[in-house]
Amino acid sequence: MSSKKESVARTLTVALLVCLVCSVVVSAAAVALKPVQTTNRLQDKQRNILQIAGLYDESRASKSSFRKLRRVWLTCVQASSAMLRTR
């Protein structure tokens, strides 16, 4: 190979371009996954609270159990708020 194609400037340019492309891909993935992260954070918080209260059964949990978890969560929150209102 000729030395014109293998210069320091060309090597640094290629490295810089690879870094830029990778950073754009990672940034796009982070932005695209932000709603999923928010949903998972909320689900995890609710699951932890229900586990502490003894209302969450892990043996029945599955990937599609978020709707069930949400229903239990809303039921418990509504019951708790109703109980607090009557005191």
Side-chain angles (χ1 to χ4, degrees):
M1 294 194 183
S2 69
S3 63
K4 278 188 173 184
K5 290 185 179 183
E6 295 180 8
S7 67
V8 173
R10 187 173 177 105
T11 302
L12 291 176
T13 303
V14 170
L16 180 67
L17 288 175
V18 169
C19 288
L20 286 174
V21 169
C22 291
S23 67
V24 167
V25 169
V26 169
S27 296
V31 169
L33 292 174
K34 185 68 173 175
V36 175
Q37 289 176 331
T38 304
T39 302
N40 285 342
R41 189 175 299 122
L42 174 65
Q43 181 183 1
D44 188 49
K45 185 176 183 179
Q46 291 174 349
R47 184 184 307 118
N48 288 340
I49 291 170
L50 290 174
Q51 283 175 338
I52 290 169
L55 300 171
Y56 183 75
D57 184 14
E58 274 193 55
S59 64
R60 297 184 333 172
S62 66
K63 288 183 180 180
S64 64
S65 68
F66 182 67
R67 285 188 210 105
K68 294 175 193 173
L69 175 66
R70 184 81 175 142
R71 265 187 262 127
V72 172
W73 172 258
L74 290 174
T75 303
C76 292
V77 168
Q78 289 170 353
S80 297
S81 63
M83 189 171 64
L84 290 174
R85 275 186 258 137
T86 59
R87 287 186 178 185

